[in-house]
Amino acid sequence: MSTLKRLIKRKIALFSFIVILLIVSAAIFAPLIAPYDPSKQFTEGLTLQGAPLPPSSQFPIGTDLLGRDLLSRLIYGARTSLFIGLLANGFAVVLGTFIGIVAGFLRGRTGSIIMRFTDLMMAFPALLLAITLAAIFSPSLFIVALVIAMVNWVQIARVIYTQTISISEKEFIEAARSLGATNSRILRKHILPHLAPIVMVWATLGISTTVLLEATLSFLGIGVRPPTPSWGNIIFENQTYFSSAPWLVFIPGFAIILLALAFNFLGDALRDELDPTQRGRR
Amino acid sequence: MSTQPLLTLKDISKKFQIKGSKNSIRAVDGVSLSINPGETLGIVGESGSGKSTLGRLALRLIEPTTGEIEFDGKKISALGSTELRHARREMQMIFQDPFASLDPRMNVESIIREPLDIHNIGTKSERSELVRKTITQVGMTEDALTRFPHEFSGGQRQRISIARAIITRPKLIVADEPVSALDASIQSQILNLLLELRRELNLTYVFISHDLSVIEHIADKVAVMYLGKIVEFASVEEIFSNPQHPYTKALISAVPQINPEHRTDRVVLTGDIPSPSSQPSGCHFHPRCPIAQQQCTDVEPVLRNINSVTHQVSCHLATGGDLR
Amino acid sequence: MKIYILRRLIQSFFILIGVTFITFLLLYILPADPARQIAGRSATPEAVANIRAQLGLDQPLFVQYWHYLINLFQGDFGRSYLQKTDVAELIQSRLTPTLILMFSAIFIELLFGLAAGIYSATKRGKTGDKSIMVLSFIGVSSPQFIAAILVLYIFAVKLHWFPIGGYGTFAHLVLPALTLGILGSGWYSRVMRSSMIDILRQDYIRTARAKGARENRVIFVHAFRNAVLPIVAMIGIDIGIFMSGIVVVESVFGWPGIGQLAWQAIQRVDIPIIMGVTLVSAIAIVIGNLVADLLAPFVDPRIKNS
């Protein structure tokens, strides 16, 4: 509770939270908010030469290369981008946390084998791996999320691993053992509660990474497939018009940055509040 | 005495492997001990003597390399992990650092109640009743229960760990330097609390300390440890009135005495306790011993009875009389 | 120390072998068929099978991998399926542009990042500091392709200061380097700021001030020297990140480096090239991390003994 209050006092964190809330509601209530069907091609949506229209009263931020309403595509695109961001990050956080805890709690041979494997994953050129995987598997939303998660779990696993080890070495863990607590009780009652804030920080920061990665893959044309709109593939589709109709690229671009920025700010503020090892560094 | 000892250690050893090396450290080396119910055994030694390891071995918090542990008629060293967990109800530990041994994210009530939860003792209401009773037993009030460890002073936290240790009505409590992290004025309060609880609850203590004046205050019998071995074992009166091992003498002479009649010449030890990984030949104490002779560097002494069966010492030169 | 380096080198070697194996495995189980890709749509099944046999693709995974490894140890990265050229040569010819771009970008990162970090640290908590920190967050939160397009739009399309893409002159280098450099400087300024703040708290800085040293001297001589060490270690990590992130910027600007080579190869499922580029990038990452770890004791003397 006090953490929440302190977060509200940080203006940037509060502002970021509101931005996230707005984007999330836009995504959830897309059918109610969006002025048009995002895939409807308007015959009056293009100039006579076949170029996209600039903002007007009918199309508030103009139309795209096929004469579709950009605002509607943007609002529906928020769904895709957020969905993939959350799903991929969810996978990554669950996998990373699980592996980190297992390796940190078991230690010994199992732990070190797992950690050597994360060393190996760390040496992988992450984006190259993601691009290769995405290009090769014909991407569905689910696969894109999975590919992004494959790239992102490693760092979380390493953070959780070192944290688990440092908590396991605390005397209150030995105390619990001396009371006769089972491993599973020690894990549930004494280790997880201490890991929770760290997981929360990484879960928040991670969304920003996954949203950016989705956008990048979609921009390269190997992420979310059109006609399903995502912020990355709106830019991908319209990039040929970027000099004559720059809003087609910069409005979705701005949306991507705004979302990533909001999660970054929020995660950073959370870390300041929740992660005592980082406290006082600002 | 016909009473069955509560805790018996038979030839207990613990070797620690040094990381990245083939050498190992003998933290505890062939220790045998027994404690009768209601007694307090003090274990004294410098840091690195293996006394904390011995305390943890007695509860099998660390697995012994060799040796047997018998507690209350049960062979603790042979129990499976589930049986061992059940047995822990009867034997508890109090740790040195009250700042580290309490989970900072739990409130005092959950901390004290944890042993009851673990061993599934009583109903929910019985548990909270017992928690409230126990917190007053250690000299605190019930309003402490909803607070968190960091809101308390060191002495109060140690009272909380004592409450946690006694709530299952154990027979044995191993206290590892329970007062050494506390201010001198608080130390005696905690020691008196422990004495009081021993009487009330009929407890048996293994009390580990580097401080002989604390041991003198609380223990009935004393084991002096040096480099993983017991070098002298006797009743507390014998140890203080007629110490036989030169190491014991040095420790006693370092205790500040208020009464000038009891003051003796200070026996000053030179050098540090050697690294347990490279133990000296013969008597392990000889490099620092003020009266060492040739045989001490060559032959390792064994623990032998001297004067009576209850006074044991491992020194070639001990005669039973006053060597001073 | 020597033993430590040796151990790390051996470890790195096995990590690289692991990277090749996993890449190989991933590419082996992928649904795309390179033989069909080479033969073209109209090829008969026999022709496809023929090509497959020629390339050794009909052999079991471990046999293929074993051959690959043996060749690798002889410096042979294989041949491109489509370009019929030696992969090692291809990569070599693309290495120079990538290195030029990388070092220019790091130069820009250091220029902006250090300046902003030092300024922020000395103006801690004031408006200037806060604005720089917000800007650095924006840098960290911006995907490279958006920055690339923005820079292109402003400096090439609107202002006509620089060419829209390509390679050859200094003017071609400016925009891609600027894109990477400005975004990256966000990280550098944050690290520099917190490192500088830590140092400025130390006793010896207070002593220097008490002795009457001018503030500029305190900051640039006494504090900077120590505060810059984490940055040096960071460059090591950064090189690794570059190798993998350079794909986007190189393809937007048409910069003929390794990233572009990789992107083209991925689109055509030219497996030997993908393998080669992955390995080269992994080598860069491993070396970068090694350098960063070796510098760690100098950054934080507490690590030295452990």
Side-chain angles (χ1 to χ4, degrees):
Chain A
M1 195 55 209
S2 58
T3 308
L4 202 64
K5 271 185 197 156
R6 280 203 300 275
L7 276 178
I8 290 171
K9 273 195 193 141
R10 291 167 181 258
K11 278 190 214 112
I12 287 184
L14 183 65
F15 182 70
S16 305
F17 188 69
I18 292 172
V19 166
I20 292 168
L21 214 61
L22 285 177
I23 295 176
V24 169
S25 357
I28 293 173
F29 302 111
L32 302 175
I33 300 168
Y36 307 103
D37 176 351
S39 45
K40 184 170 184 215
Q41 302 184 10
F42 292 90
T43 38
E44 72 273 28
L46 293 171
T47 62
L48 292 174
Q49 287 77 35
L53 289 178
S56 65
S57 56
Q58 196 190 352
F59 305 109
I61 51 173
T63 57
D64 76 352
L65 79 167
L66 295 176
R68 295 172 294 197
D69 177 44
L70 185 61
L71 181 62
S72 304
R73 289 191 72 71
L74 205 62
I75 291 171
Y76 275 89
R79 277 192 160 184
T80 326
S81 294
L82 261 180
F83 176 73
I84 293 189
L86 292 175
L87 190 69
N89 192 51
F91 279 149
V93 168
V94 169
L95 189 66
T97 306
F98 177 76
I99 288 184
I101 289 177
V102 168
F105 196 59
L106 294 181
R107 310 280 282 279
R109 186 158 293 182
T110 325
S112 70
I113 288 176
I114 294 174
M115 288 333 281
R116 287 291 85 78
F117 182 68
T118 66
D119 279 348
L120 204 150
M121 291 299 292
M122 292 289 275
F124 252 99
L127 191 62
L128 202 63
L129 176 71
I131 291 173
T132 309
L133 290 178
I136 285 166
F137 297 104
S138 51
S140 66
L141 281 189
F142 187 72
I143 298 253
V144 174
L146 210 60
V147 165
I148 294 174
M150 289 302 293
V151 172
N152 271 333
W153 65 270
V154 185
Q155 209 178 3
I156 298 171
R158 293 176 74 93
V159 171
I160 296 297
Y161 170 73
T162 39
Q163 287 296 325
T164 307
I165 285 188
S166 100
I167 296 167
S168 306
E169 282 168 357
K170 295 261 162 68
E171 206 168 51
F172 62 80
I173 299 294
E174 194 188 11
R177 192 157 278 137
S178 81
L179 297 175
T182 56
N183 276 343
S184 108
R185 184 186 166 88
I186 290 173
L187 207 54
R188 274 182 296 117
K189 297 279 179 179
H190 298 284
I191 291 182
L192 281 183
H194 287 263
L195 289 176
I198 301 155
V199 173
M200 244 173 84
V201 168
W202 281 90
T204 313
L205 289 174
I207 294 173
S208 145
T209 317
T210 51
V211 165
L212 292 182
L213 202 49
E214 181 278 321
T216 302
L217 293 181
S218 294
F219 166 74
L220 291 172
I222 50 177
V224 179
R225 283 251 167 116
T228 311
S230 92
W231 291 349
N233 77 18
I234 293 175
I235 299 175
F236 166 68
E237 284 184 304
N238 293 299
Q239 57 180 327
T240 43
Y241 286 96
F242 91 95
S243 54
S244 60
W247 65 87
L248 283 176
V249 169
F250 293 126
I251 291 175
F254 176 72
I256 292 167
I257 295 176
L258 194 65
L259 184 60
L261 195 57
F263 276 112
N264 258 337
F265 273 133
L266 191 65
D268 197 58
L270 268 178
R271 169 160 52 196
D272 278 355
E273 291 301 335
L274 295 175
D275 187 351
T277 59
Q278 294 292 321
R279 200 166 282 166
R281 288 185 72 84
R282 305 212 92 209
Chain B
M1 258 197 281
S2 63
T3 38
Q4 192 80 14
L6 181 68
L7 177 75
T8 312
L9 306 181
K10 279 184 202 150
D11 202 21
I12 288 282
S13 294
K14 179 66 190 179
K15 282 190 206 166
F16 288 113
Q17 206 65 37
I18 306 169
K19 244 189 184 171
S21 149
K22 274 181 186 153
N23 295 337
S24 58
I25 294 175
R26 280 173 188 275
V28 170
D29 192 358
V31 167
S32 299
L33 272 178
S34 67
I35 305 151
N36 293 328
E39 271 182 357
T40 296
L41 171 70
I43 299 178
V44 71
E46 290 167 290
S47 62
S49 61
K51 57 189 194 304
S52 283
T53 307
L54 184 64
R56 281 166 169 78
L57 284 170
L59 296 181
R60 230 183 114 188
L61 282 175
I62 305 175
E63 290 295 325
T65 313
T66 58
E68 282 179 10
I69 310 159
E70 208 169 290
F71 169 73
D72 202 17
K74 283 191 290 277
K75 240 192 199 153
I76 293 294
S77 46
L79 292 184
S81 66
T82 316
E83 294 163 305
L84 178 64
R85 279 199 309 101
H86 292 316
R88 295 208 178 285
R89 188 180 159 172
E90 308 272 318
M91 41 192 223
Q92 294 285 342
M93 177 130 185
I94 297 170
F95 293 86
Q96 172 177 8
D97 184 356
F99 291 82
S101 61
L102 304 175
D103 189 335
R105 280 183 191 274
M106 280 189 165
N107 68 17
V108 172
E109 170 154 29
S110 335
I111 289 173
I112 300 180
R113 203 188 53 227
E114 188 167 26
L116 303 180
D117 294 339
I118 289 171
H119 297 290
N120 219 350
I121 300 168
T123 62
K124 213 177 166 219
S125 60
E126 283 167 357
R127 283 181 202 178
S128 59
E129 180 60 34
L130 194 51
V131 167
R132 269 178 279 148
K133 194 183 142 207
T134 311
I135 192 88
T136 49
Q137 235 174 340
V138 296
M140 289 174 78
T141 49
E142 283 180 25
D143 59 303
L145 291 176
T146 53
R147 290 155 71 192
F148 286 84
H150 66 86
E151 300 175 54
F152 296 97
S153 67
Q156 285 173 309
R157 288 188 214 202
Q158 207 53 298
R159 285 175 194 270
I160 295 168
S161 14
I162 293 171
R164 172 174 65 182
I166 61 170
I167 198 164
T168 56
R169 295 288 172 268
K171 293 184 172 139
L172 174 75
I173 289 181
V174 174
D176 182 13
E177 303 252 21
V179 297
S180 63
L182 306 176
D183 288 344
S185 58
I186 316 281
Q187 282 195 355
S188 60
Q189 289 177 19
I190 297 295
L191 287 178
N192 289 334
L193 173 67
L194 287 172
L195 285 170
E196 208 175 291
L197 290 171
R198 179 175 72 170
R199 209 170 39 242
E200 272 175 42
L201 305 174
N202 201 17
L203 292 166
T204 304
Y205 288 140
V206 173
F207 196 101
I208 298 161
S209 181
H210 66 279
D211 186 347
L212 261 178
S213 58
V214 168
I215 295 282
E216 187 177 15
H217 191 67
I218 198 164
D220 304 312
K221 287 181 182 166
V222 181
V224 180
M225 280 189 82
Y226 189 79
L227 277 183
K229 291 190 179 213
I230 291 179
V231 293
E232 186 159 6
F233 180 85
S235 71
V236 72
E237 295 82 15
E238 280 272 312
I239 284 281
F240 281 91
S241 62
N242 187 20
Q244 288 300 308
H245 199 284
Y247 180 61
T248 314
K249 286 176 196 163
L251 287 181
I252 290 173
S253 76
V255 176
Q257 292 290 347
I258 297 168
N259 188 342
E261 279 175 33
H262 291 176
R263 274 191 200 150
T264 51
D265 293 333
R266 185 88 196 259
V267 183
V268 182
L269 290 180
T270 51
D272 286 328
I273 190 163
S275 152
S277 59
S278 58
Q279 281 167 348
S281 64
C283 173
H284 293 171
F285 186 60
H286 84 258
R288 296 171 79 192
C289 184
I291 55 168
Q293 294 176 5
Q294 187 55 44
Q295 61 165 325
C296 302
T297 52
D298 299 338
V299 187
E300 192 177 342
V302 289
L303 207 58
R304 61 189 162 101
N305 290 333
I306 199 160
N307 294 344
S308 72
V309 283
T310 56
H311 195 157
Q312 297 173 302
V313 65
S314 95
C315 175
H316 297 304
L317 306 171
T319 56
D322 193 343
L323 280 172
R324 280 180 296 221
Chain C
M1 196 63 184
K2 264 185 196 159
I3 293 173
Y4 174 73
I5 295 175
L6 193 71
R7 214 177 63 206
R8 284 296 308 262
L9 283 175
I10 294 171
Q11 239 171 35
S12 305
F13 173 78
F14 282 106
I15 284 177
L16 290 174
I17 297 285
V19 167
T20 62
F21 179 69
I22 291 181
T23 319
F24 205 89
L25 191 72
L26 281 173
L27 296 174
Y28 181 85
I29 56 174
L30 61 88
D33 184 350
R36 177 152 287 284
Q37 204 93 6
I38 295 165
R41 272 172 210 284
S42 52
T44 58
E46 290 81 38
V48 174
N50 213 353
I51 292 173
R52 196 172 289 141
Q54 250 177 33
L55 296 173
L57 292 176
D58 51 351
Q59 283 166 353
L61 168 69
F62 284 98
V63 178
Q64 284 188 43
Y65 181 63
W66 181 244
H67 285 304
Y68 179 79
L69 262 194
I70 298 273
N71 289 336
L72 199 60
F73 282 122
Q74 293 161 349
D76 181 3
F77 281 58
R79 278 176 160 287
S80 156
Y81 289 160
L82 299 166
Q83 288 169 280
K84 309 284 181 208
T85 27
D86 203 42
V87 172
E89 271 171 37
L90 267 176
I91 290 178
Q92 217 167 22
S93 70
R94 299 295 191 107
L95 207 55
T96 321
T98 293
L99 288 178
I100 291 174
L101 179 54
M102 187 164 83
F103 285 112
S104 320
I106 290 179
F107 176 74
I108 294 172
E109 285 181 337
L110 289 175
L111 202 67
F112 288 137
L114 296 192
I118 293 171
Y119 177 81
S120 252
T122 53
K123 296 274 185 281
R124 195 171 167 212
K126 303 219 177 88
T127 320
D129 170 32
K130 284 183 180 160
S131 337
I132 283 185
M133 282 304 105
V134 170
L135 281 178
S136 77
F137 259 104
I138 294 177
V140 170
S141 310
S142 302
Q144 287 165 337
F145 71 93
I146 294 175
I149 296 174
L150 186 67
V151 166
L152 262 183
Y153 183 73
I154 297 173
F155 295 105
V157 175
K158 285 289 152 188
L159 297 173
H160 299 288
W161 287 359
F162 300 102
I164 212 154
Y167 177 70
T169 67
F170 179 73
H172 288 104
L173 173 65
V174 175
L175 293 186
L178 210 58
T179 306
L180 287 167
I182 289 177
L183 291 189
S185 63
W187 283 118
Y188 282 83
S189 65
R190 296 183 60 188
V191 173
M192 188 64 197
R193 176 181 179 273
S194 65
S195 159
M196 198 73 183
I197 285 174
D198 278 352
I199 300 279
L200 286 175
R201 272 196 206 127
Q202 306 288 322
D203 286 342
Y204 67 87
I205 295 295
R206 231 174 285 154
T207 315
R209 280 198 181 124
K211 278 178 10 197
R214 278 212 322 273
E215 190 60 20
N216 274 346
R217 197 184 146 76
V218 169
I219 289 165
F220 288 103
V221 178
H222 295 274
F224 181 79
R225 241 192 343 219
N226 294 298
V228 83
L229 277 167
I231 297 286
V232 180
M234 200 171 148
I235 295 175
I237 298 169
D238 207 25
I239 288 174
I241 298 171
F242 257 118
M243 290 305 282
S244 118
I246 217 154
V247 177
V248 173
V249 170
E250 285 190 354
S251 33
V252 171
F253 288 98
W255 189 263
I258 287 185
Q260 199 193 39
L261 178 71
W263 178 223
Q264 288 163 350
I266 289 168
Q267 285 170 309
R268 297 173 193 156
V269 204
D270 201 337
I271 288 173
I273 298 185
I274 303 178
M275 288 289 306
V277 173
T278 309
L279 183 59
V280 169
S281 306
I283 291 173
I285 294 172
V286 164
I287 292 176
N289 288 346
L290 192 64
V291 169
D293 285 356
L294 291 181
L295 285 172
F298 301 98
V299 177
D300 185 351
R302 278 169 299 179
I303 304 173
K304 212 173 230 162
N305 297 323
S306 55

